[in-house]
Amino acid sequence: MAQRKAANASRATRRRRWWHLRQRWRMLGLFEINPEHEFYQLTTMIKEGLHASIQTAMDSTGQDTLTAKQFKAQETQSHEGFEMQMFAAPVFAKLRHSLDITEEEYVTSLCSGGNYLQFISNSKSKANFFVTNDKRFFLKTQSKREVMFLLSNLQAYMEHLEKYPHSLLVRFLGVHRIVIPNQMKKYFIVMQSVFYPDERINIRFDMKGCEVGRWTNPDTGGENVIKVLKDNNFEGQHIELGQEKSWFADQMKADAAFLQELNVLDYSLLLAHQPLHQDELDGKHSLADLVIRTTKSVDLQDSPTGSDPTSTPLLEPSAGQVVLDTTDCRSEQPQGAAEATGEGIPLQEINSLPKETNADSELQEFAEHHRRLLPNCKNGIHVIDGPDHRYFVGIIDIFTVYGLKKRLENMWKNIRFPGRAFSTVSPRKYSRRFCQWIQERTL
C-alpha cells in the first residue's frame, strides 16, 4: 500500500512539472496583460467594444454580394469612458465566414474572460501587438495612414482573395478605432495568426529576399523574447514541399503581382516549420480525412459550380495545381470510420477517375484559382505539408507604399550599399526578387 501511494505521488509530481513546463513554453515571448499591466485598461476596453461590434454584425442580415456602400461603412458605438469605431464591418464578416470562422467562436476568442497576451519580439515596428488568450488572433495597432491605405484597397484585396481563395496573404478580419477622451486614439487591426497552433513551433523566420540588415543574433540573452530570424539566418536551409512546390511557387507569384499592382514593397514571408508526427505521416492516405480536406478546399470557398465537394474528383498531382496530402493539423482528431478499419487507400486509387465527368468545370475552376487540399485544422490557409515537415507560411506587412520618401531612401541606399540587395527598391524589382529568392530555396 505504501509503495502504491508513493508511486501515485511520484506520477502526480511529474504531471505537475510537465504542466508547468508546458505553461512556460506556451508563454514564451508572451506576457499576460493582467490588472498590473500598463495595457490592461486599454485591452479591457477593446474587448468590451469588440464584443458589442461583433454582436451587431451577428444581428445584421448577411448578403452574398457586397456593395460599394458596405466597403465604406463606418459605425461608432459609445461605451462608458470610450468609443469604438468599426470600419467595413459587413466586408470583414463575409471574409471571416469564408474562412469558416463563426461569429460565435470569433467573439469567444476575442472577448472571453482570459486576458490578452502581449507579444514581445525583436521587430523594429513601433506598433503594439496583442494576442488573444488562445493565440488564434493578433491585434496590431496601426497608423491612420496604414488603415486608410487598407480600406481604400479593401475591394481589390477581397477580389484577389475571391480569385485566389488559398492566397498566402495574411487575413485581415476587422479594422477598428478606439477613442478614450483626453487619453488616446488608436487604430488597430485584427488578423488571423500565421503561427497557429504554435505549441510545436520553436523557430520562426521573416524573409524579404534581400541581404542588407537581414540577420538576427538568435541568442536571446536569457530574456523572455521570441527571436524572429531573417534571410541570412536561413542560409543553407530549404523549404521542402515536395509535390506542393509548384502550387506554392505559382501562388507566391500571384500574391506578389497583386502587391506590385498596389505599389507596395517591404512585405515579408513569415515562415515556421515543425516535423510531422509518425501518426500524421501514417494518416496521409485516410479517405475520411481526404473527404474533409476536399470539403474545406472546395465547399468553404463558395465554389461557383455549387457541386457536392464530397463527390468532387481530385486533380492528378501532375496537374501542378492541386496536391493530395491529407495530414491532420492535430493527430488526435477523429478520422472517421474509414480510418478506423485500418484500410488506407493509396492515392493512385483515389485518382483513378473516369476521363469524362460532369464535374470538369469544377476541376477547371479549382485549378485556375490555385486551390489545394487544405489541412484539416482551423488555420489551414497558412499551413502547407511537405513530405516530412509542416510549414506555417503567410505574407505580412503590406502597407509600405513606394512614395517619395521611399524613392529618396532608395537613392541613398544605392550610394550606401553599392551592388548589395536591400529592401527599399521599386515594387516591380521587389516582387521579382522576392519570388526568385523564395523559389530558389524551395525543394
Side-chain angles (χ1 to χ4, degrees), residues 66-67 70-72 88-96 154 158:
L66 295 171
T67 65
Q70 288 173 318
F71 278 96
K72 297 179 180 179
V91 179
F92 292 110
K94 182 175 182 179
L95 179 53
R96 295 193 294 269
L154 184 57
M158 291 293 289

Side-chain angles (χ1 to χ4, degrees), residues 25 28 36 76 113 131 243 260 286 294 301 313 361 407 409:
W25 175 254
L28 179 64
E36 288 73 41
T76 301
V131 190
Q243 290 180 322
Q260 180 182 328
S286 162
T294 307
Q301 310 301 333
S361 60
R407 292 174 187 273
E409 186 177 331

Side-chain angles (χ1 to χ4, degrees), residues 137-148:
F137 303 113
F138 258 85
L139 295 87
K140 181 183 178 184
T141 60
Q142 305 277 175
S143 69
K144 181 178 180 180
R145 183 201 64 78
E146 291 169 332
V147 167
M148 293 302 105

Side-chain angles (χ1 to χ4, degrees), residues 265-314:
L265 66 154
D266 219 25
Y267 43 88
S268 304
L269 179 74
L270 277 187
L271 173 73
H273 59 80
Q274 62 189 33
L276 290 170
H277 281 166
Q278 187 59 47
D279 57 349
E280 294 171 325
L281 293 169
D282 293 341
K284 280 194 172 186
H285 293 183
S286 162
L287 177 59
D289 187 57
L290 179 59
V291 170
I292 293 173
R293 291 165 70 102
T294 307
T295 303
K296 290 176 70 69
S297 301
V298 181
D299 186 52
L300 247 182
Q301 310 301 333
D302 297 324
S303 171
T305 60
S307 62
D308 180 5
T310 60
S311 62
T312 301
L314 305 173

Side-chain angles (χ1 to χ4, degrees), residues 65-85:
T65 304
L66 295 171
T67 65
K69 184 178 179 180
Q70 288 173 318
F71 278 96
K72 297 179 180 179
Q74 295 186 29
E75 183 174 340
T76 301
Q77 296 178 337
S78 297
H79 302 267
E80 185 176 353
F82 71 98
E83 291 182 347
M84 178 72 79
Q85 282 184 288

Side-chain angles (χ1 to χ4, degrees), residues 39 42 118-119 125-130 139-141 186:
F39 290 128
L42 173 62
Q118 184 182 13
F119 179 71
S125 172
K126 295 181 180 179
N128 299 124
F129 296 86
F130 306 127
L139 295 87
K140 181 183 178 184
T141 60
K186 279 188 180 291

